Amino acid sequence: NNSYYTPQQVIVSGDASIKSIVCGTDCSVIVTNKGNILGCGSNRHNKLGLNPELSNPHSHSDSNKEMDLPILALSKKLGDLTQTSIIMSSVFKPSGDDHVTIPTEHVDKSLTFKVSPSRHLQDITAVSLGLNHSAFINVSGKCITSGCNTFGQLGTPMSHDSSPCVVKALIDEKIHHVSCGDAFTIACSKGGKIYSWGQNKRGRLGREIDEEIGQPSPIIFEGTCQVQSITSNHSVTMLLAIND
């Protein structure tokens, strides 16, 4: 029995302070004040973005293969342990005989909080965890999704699991709120537009049609309102809004 019935201290590496904590069904995410993402628990379908991003996602190389890529390796000391985080960066460019080692092993779960190696999961301000997928908002207002895309809940044209990627259909919007249900996603822009996509069974997307929508599509309301927050859980969503 690995359950604890009293609060236990969790050791997190690094010196950045914690901005927010988000708990999902079987995983948790910490957002630091520097916009970094640390995840632990189930990484099913890579929903925490803990799997390394390869230049060719369809090719599987041997573990610890050396690759010449723009990358920055950071090592953080934690007691007697050293955690190494790999962060993609356009600033550091290996040249000549410079080589870096990229861990290519698949991460199904993590028992400790680990930094995501995804170049997209930087400068993050908000996180939402669904059953098999997740959504993030960065400081620029871009919506980023990762994980299972069986029902189109990532808002991307891919039909398979995905590493974190920007939702291109919302590239011109400044996303203010985002929330993940079991197999759908709801987002609100700073301009007040509300978008939904993914599985629509039992009216999950706030639409009369009963079919999946793989791309973000606006929800039309009677009148106008200012959305203050969005919360989705399993198959339902609640919006807190103020009438204009």
Side-chain angles (χ1 to χ4, degrees):
N1 186 357
N2 293 323
S3 299
Y4 294 95
Y5 298 97
T6 58
Q8 306 291 312
Q9 183 178 5
V10 178
I11 304 299
V12 180
S13 62
D15 57 358
S17 61
I18 295 174
K19 178 182 178 181
S20 62
I21 301 173
V22 180
C23 295
T25 302
D26 53 8
C27 60
S28 301
V29 165
I30 289 175
V31 182
T32 72
N33 64 333
K34 296 181 179 180
N36 294 323
I37 293 297
L38 294 86
C40 77
S42 173
N43 191 42
R44 184 173 57 251
H45 303 287
N46 196 30
K47 60 182 177 179
L48 296 179
L50 296 181
N51 291 333
E53 296 178 346
L54 302 179
S55 56
N56 182 357
H58 301 290
S59 65
H60 298 277
S61 56
D62 295 333
S63 179
N64 296 331
K65 179 180 178 181
E66 289 188 340
M67 302 175 67
D68 290 325
L69 287 176
I71 189 167
L72 176 62
L74 300 178
S75 295
K76 297 179 180 179
K77 193 70 176 178
L78 174 60
D80 295 329
L81 301 176
T82 298
Q83 178 187 16
T84 300
S85 306
I86 306 299
I87 302 176
M88 301 298 292
S89 172
S90 60
V91 177
F92 176 78
K93 297 182 181 299
S95 60
D97 296 329
D98 292 336
H99 294 280
V100 293
T101 300
I102 300 178
T104 58
E105 61 271 12
H106 181 81
V107 180
D108 289 318
K109 65 179 180 180
S110 176
L111 300 181
T112 59
F113 282 99
K114 295 184 181 298
V115 178
S116 170
S118 173
R119 66 186 184 277
H120 292 298
L121 296 185
Q122 299 183 42
D123 298 323
I124 299 301
T125 60
V127 179
S128 180
L129 300 173
L131 183 62
N132 292 313
H133 77 296
S134 57
F136 309 83
I137 301 174
N138 66 17
V139 71
S140 299
K142 298 295 185 290
C143 182
I144 301 157
T145 55
S146 182
C148 178
N149 200 32
T150 301
F151 298 97
Q153 60 262 53
L154 299 186
T156 66
M158 295 176 292
S159 60
H160 51 77
D161 298 354
S162 171
S163 294
C165 60
V166 175
V167 180
K168 293 184 178 179
L170 298 175
I171 200 71
D172 294 328
E173 294 282 6
K174 296 279 189 181
I175 300 302
H176 192 49
H177 302 288
V178 68
S179 189
C180 297
D182 54 358
F184 67 97
T185 309
I186 308 286
C188 177
S189 71
K190 288 188 176 181
K193 295 181 180 179
I194 301 174
Y195 296 86
S196 64
W197 62 96
Q199 189 183 56
N200 194 32
K201 191 175 182 180
R202 298 190 180 94
R204 284 167 166 82
L205 302 183
R207 307 173 186 282
E208 295 182 358
I209 59 173
D210 190 18
E211 62 184 24
E212 287 86 30
I213 300 176
Q215 294 288 327
S217 182
I219 301 175
I220 307 301
F221 287 93
E222 293 184 3
T224 58
C225 62
Q226 297 179 13
V227 176
Q228 302 297 304
S229 64
I230 302 175
T231 301
S232 300
N233 189 359
H234 190 59
S235 61
V236 299
T237 299
M238 297 291 290
L239 278 73
L240 177 62
I242 299 176
N243 292 329
D244 289 339

